[in-house]
Structure formats: structure tokens, C-alpha cells
Amino acid sequence: MLAASVGNAVEWYDWYAYTFLAAYLARQVFPPGTGNSLVPLLSTFAVFAVGFFMRPVGGLLMGAVADRRGRRTALTVTILLMGGSSLLVGLTPTYAAAGVLAPVVLVTARLLQGLSVGGEFAASTTFLVESAGPGRRGLFSSFQYVSTSVGQLAASGTAAFLVAVLPADAMDGWGWRVPFLLGAVLSLAGFWIRRGAEETRGGHHAEDRRPGLLDALRHHPRASLLICGITAGGTLAYYTWTSYLPTYAELETGIAKEDALLAGTLSLAFFAALQPLGGILSDRFGRRPALLFFGLGFAVLVVPLLRALDGSFLNLLLVQCAGMVLLTGFTSVSAAVNAETFPARVRAAGIGFPYSLTVALFGGTAPYVGTLVKDLGRPDLFPWYVAVLCLVSSVVYLRLPETAGKPLDR
């Protein structure tokens, strides 16, 4: 659990640092907008989305490595790849210094990050759930998002700290690079821990024919589609609430950037603490009730919650924490449900591709869609978009077979 959680936290720290520093990247790496201050920010979020579209490739390739060579091998490869790409972001030149080369370097780094994160979820999800004893898969599953939240919390906290202590010109000039350079160093620590992890891939699988790259899709198409349906509403709600909401609140209510980042940091800490409780409850009462709690709750409440934002710090914090409670129904069981859907032989690749593709289509585009509808003068449409997709996923949850308590294929 330590190997999976610490490494995963470092991976997601590197990934999310980009989100929390999007406004600074927009000013330094992209050409200034002509008469519209949202243009550089839109460009930054477009690169954020582009990174997501490498995640299915990473999920497929690294998932295949995990199924063929073992979970530990895949986990060590992904964290080294993330460390290198984070270093590249930290060394990205400014547009003023290098012109169009600056966004090209940033896009390249973000593509490599997407490849790494796609593989990370597939390998670490499989590794965590296969490590769990009987009746504890939900609890172990919850640490996927505990560690994700810790990484996100570290990224948000680092950004908030730097904004608070550095003058604005220093933050614009060099301060935004610090979190990425720190992430590259942390990746080496995660690599060291993962090298000593115990392999969970059953030894008898080494004697089987190694699975082909597309075996999971070819032989388990229904399971692949099920992963997409389970994930669609959850990933949109997750990235809206944990990544985009501070920016959304700034655009809609004018709340100070410092207050928005602080509210996001506190709510992430609350969210991380909720995950084991959600996992334990799912082991006792089942995965489907937890998923329905999330899906139906978000479908009904996301519009009033986002409309309730009034520009105050306390209001934003309460809205974020309320959403985090609902979101726990999805995040605390997501890894368990995914792993329980596929047989061990193709589990990592089977999870990695459909999950990451769905995240790319709906989660990765959330900040861009939200900023775009604001630019088009219809910000009221975004909450309804989230509500409708959560309702669609709820239909899938209603028809989902219960997997808690059943033996896991190893």
C-alpha cells in the first residue's frame, strides 16, 4: 500500500501542479490575447485537455506491461516518465524568450505526463486491489484517491504557499517553475520506494500466453463499455470539483485567487479523510449503493450548489465540501469496481484503456468546456452539463451487478 500510495501521490502532484498554476502558465508560455483576457487561459486549458488524450494510450501500453511483466515493473516506469516530464515543464521557456517553441515544449511535456498518468491508474489500481485481503477491497481501493488527493493537496498547497509569500512579479517570473522542479525530485523518491514493492501478479500467469495489446477489448467488450459508463459522470464531477472549481469561482464571482486556492486546499484535505470511510462502507453495504449516492446526489444538487456561490471564502469552502461528500460515493469504490470487472490476465490493460479514454473525453475537457461557455456568455449551461452526465451514469449504476464480497480472480 505504501509503494502504491506514495508513488501515486507523487504522480498526481506532478499532474495537478499544472492545473493550479494554469493562470501563470497562460501569461508566460502563450501569446497574449487580443482584446480578450480569456484567450491565453483557454489555450492553457486546451493543453490540459490534450494531455488527457494521451492517457488512453498510456493506459493501454502500461496496462499491457503490467499484465505481461508485472505490476511493479509498470509502476516504476510510470513514475520515472512523470518525473522527466515534470522537469520539462519546469524548464519550459517563456513565449517572450522563445516564441512558438514555448507552447511546443509545454505540449510535449503534457503529452508525456498524460502517457504516465494513464499507465499509473491502470497499474496502481490493479496493484492496490490485488493486495487486499478478503472483505477489504473497498478499503484498499479508497487509497487510490487518498493518495491522489494527497498529491493534489500538495500541489494546491504548494501553489497557495508560493502565491502567499512571493511578490506577483517573482511568481510570474520564476515562482511558477518551483512546483514542477520539486515534482521531478519527488519522483526519484517514489521510484526508490516502488523498487522494493512486492509483486501481486500471480506467478501462474507467467506460464500463460502473454495477453495481446487489445485482448481485453476483443474478449471483454461488455466490461470495457461498463467501465466507460461507470466513469463518465464520476470523472466529470471529480475534475469539476477538485480542479476547475477555484477557477470557476474566480470567473463567476470574482473571488480572490488566494482565497480560491485556500478553499480548494482545505476541501481536498477533507476529501482525502473521507475516502477510507467510503471504502469501508462499500465493503459492508456494496458498491452499487455508494455509486448511486454519488450519481443521483450530484444530478440533483450540482446546479443549486454552483448557483449558491456568492464570492465569499466560507461559501466556496462549504460548497466544495458538500460536493466532496457526494463525490466520495464514486471515488472510494472506483478502483475496486474497475478491478472486479476484469479477470487478472488482462486486468490492468482492461481497466487502463476504457477508463482513461472516458476521463479524456469528459474529465480532461471539463475546465475547457467551463471556460468556453463562460467566454460564449452562457456559464449557466455548465452545471446542467455535469448534472445530465451524472444522471446518465446513474442509469448504469442501477443495472450494475454487485461485486462486493465476491472472490477476486487472481
Side-chain angles (χ1 to χ4, degrees), residues 194-385:
R194 284 186 166 180
R195 286 188 64 191
E198 188 174 326
E199 181 57 61
T200 62
R201 177 175 176 263
H204 64 281
H205 292 295
E207 301 170 4
D208 298 340
R209 181 185 67 85
R210 289 177 180 173
L213 193 62
L214 300 176
D215 273 10
L217 288 172
R218 186 162 48 241
H219 299 301
H220 304 278
R222 184 181 181 278
S224 299
L225 289 173
L226 197 60
I227 295 292
C228 294
I230 291 168
T231 306
T235 189
L236 176 59
Y238 177 78
Y239 280 98
T240 296
W241 231 253
T242 63
S243 298
Y244 180 58
L245 193 55
T247 301
Y248 180 88
E250 286 179 51
L251 294 175
E252 287 299 301
T253 68
I255 189 172
K257 187 185 301 295
E258 295 85 352
D259 288 343
L261 283 171
L262 180 58
T265 301
L266 294 175
S267 65
L268 279 171
F270 174 68
F271 179 66
L274 287 176
Q275 300 310 299
L277 176 61
I280 290 170
L281 290 174
S282 80
D283 281 332
R284 182 169 182 180
F285 299 109
R287 318 291 187 224
R288 186 165 53 190
L291 291 170
L292 286 171
F293 171 75
F294 152 71
L296 295 177
F298 243 88
V300 172
L301 295 175
V302 66
V303 174
L305 281 173
L306 290 181
R307 285 182 176 176
L309 294 172
D310 63 7
S312 71
F313 168 79
L314 181 59
N315 170 267
L316 176 58
L317 180 62
L318 290 174
V319 167
Q320 283 201 279
C321 287
M324 296 302 193
V325 172
L326 296 172
L327 195 54
T328 296
F330 170 77
T331 53
S332 64
V333 304
S334 175
V337 172
N338 289 344
E340 290 162 350
T341 301
F342 283 94
R345 183 173 176 274
V346 294
R347 180 170 290 137
I351 293 170
F353 182 72
Y355 175 86
S356 296
L357 179 62
T358 309
V359 170
L361 290 173
F362 298 107
T365 58
Y368 186 81
V369 171
T371 308
L372 181 61
V373 295
K374 169 67 176 177
D375 190 37
L376 296 174
R378 292 300 307 272
D380 55 302
L381 294 179
F382 184 70
W384 286 106
Y385 169 57

Side-chain angles (χ1 to χ4, degrees), residues 21-221:
L21 295 163
Y24 299 98
L25 285 161
R27 288 195 291 270
Q28 296 300 317
V29 179
F30 292 93
T34 54
N36 187 343
S37 62
L38 286 178
V39 169
L41 187 59
L42 277 170
S43 300
T44 311
F45 282 140
V47 177
F48 178 78
V50 164
F52 274 83
F53 282 92
M54 281 300 288
R55 289 181 61 169
V57 179
L60 189 62
L61 294 178
M62 291 296 105
V65 170
D67 289 332
R68 295 179 180 188
R69 300 289 185 181
R71 320 310 188 200
R72 183 176 59 184
T73 299
L75 289 171
T76 54
V77 171
T78 58
I79 200 165
L80 286 177
L81 188 59
M82 179 59 81
S85 54
S86 185
L87 179 63
L88 190 57
V89 175
L91 298 178
T92 298
T94 64
Y95 186 83
V100 73
L101 179 63
V104 168
V105 171
L106 184 63
V107 169
T108 301
R110 195 60 182 174
L111 290 174
L112 292 174
Q113 284 189 328
L115 190 70
S116 173
V117 165
E120 171 68 20
F121 185 87
S124 64
T125 291
T126 304
F127 184 81
L128 268 174
V129 177
E130 289 178 348
S131 299
R136 303 181 71 192
R137 292 200 301 267
L139 173 62
F140 272 57
S141 165
S142 69
F143 277 84
Q144 176 74 34
Y145 277 92
V146 169
S147 56
T148 298
S149 300
V150 168
Q152 198 170 353
L153 183 63
S156 175
T158 302
F161 174 77
L162 289 171
V163 168
V165 301
L166 290 180
D169 58 342
M171 192 65 196
D172 274 325
W174 57 268
W176 62 270
R177 300 181 185 274
V178 173
F180 300 106
L181 299 176
L182 176 62
V185 175
L186 291 175
S187 295
L188 294 177
F191 170 73
W192 179 77
I193 292 172
R194 284 186 166 180
R195 286 188 64 191
E198 188 174 326
E199 181 57 61
T200 62
R201 177 175 176 263
H204 64 281
H205 292 295
E207 301 170 4
D208 298 340
R209 181 185 67 85
R210 289 177 180 173
L213 193 62
L214 300 176
D215 273 10
L217 288 172
R218 186 162 48 241
H219 299 301
H220 304 278

